[in-house]
Amino acid sequence: PHSGEIDIMEHVGYEPGRVHGTVHTGTYHHSIKTQKGGSMHVDVQQWHTYTVEWRPEVVLFACDDTVYQVFHKESDDPAVWPFNQEFFLILNMAVGGDWGGAHGVDEAAFSGNGQIMEIDWVRIEQRDLKWA
């Protein structure tokens, strides 16, 4: 997380229908329980448009044009705001590990259609901003 990470969408196995948008930095990350994130309920069986707008002073998270999380730039310190350099953008379905496996892993959840994440497209746009 020290180089910056924006989780565009995280869906945790033990929270069906809740999606999260999270920012991880050197100062704000899950290992020290200071990550900055928000969530909303969606029908995960339907298609959705997940959006992250990365602006010079703020990162906005939305699903189907509904903003559910805003992360404001608090400092130029790269540990707080590393988003003026290369960083990671992630779409995540957490079914195990520290977070997704926190309540154990339901092996039956992998039968039938199981755990499927389909992505139709990802589009990254860059606006002509003089700060970048």
Side-chain angles (χ1 to χ4, degrees):
H2 294 283
S3 62
E5 175 183 313
I6 296 176
D7 294 309
I8 298 170
M9 186 281 297
E10 296 178 290
H11 184 228
V12 182
Y14 65 80
E15 289 186 298
R18 178 177 290 278
V19 294
H20 301 261
T22 312
V23 168
H24 302 275
T25 71
T27 300
Y28 301 117
H29 60 92
H30 65 285
S31 300
I32 57 174
K33 302 191 185 323
T34 56
Q35 71 274 4
K36 298 281 188 163
S39 65
M40 70 180 291
H41 286 282
V42 299
D43 180 351
V44 294
Q45 300 294 320
Q46 300 297 317
W47 290 97
H48 298 283
T49 300
Y50 298 97
T51 303
V52 170
E53 287 191 25
W54 164 43
R55 300 179 185 175
E57 304 292 326
V58 69
V59 178
L60 302 169
F61 293 84
C63 180
D64 299 329
D65 296 324
T66 300
V67 174
Y68 65 91
Q69 169 63 7
V70 179
F71 177 72
H72 294 277
K73 181 179 181 180
E74 299 170 356
S75 166
D76 287 326
D77 179 348
V80 176
W81 186 267
F83 305 116
N84 58 351
Q85 60 188 358
E86 290 186 4
F87 60 90
F88 297 93
L89 293 170
I90 296 176
L91 295 162
N92 179 24
M93 189 166 74
V95 294
D98 292 339
W99 189 17
H103 297 273
V105 176
D106 179 6
E107 296 296 328
F110 294 94
S111 64
N113 286 333
Q115 302 291 322
I116 297 172
M117 181 167 132
E118 294 179 308
I119 300 169
D120 188 35
W121 52 269
V122 174
R123 179 175 61 206
I124 297 174
E125 298 176 357
Q126 180 174 348
R127 297 182 182 172
D128 185 20
L129 299 173
K130 303 301 180 206
W131 60 272

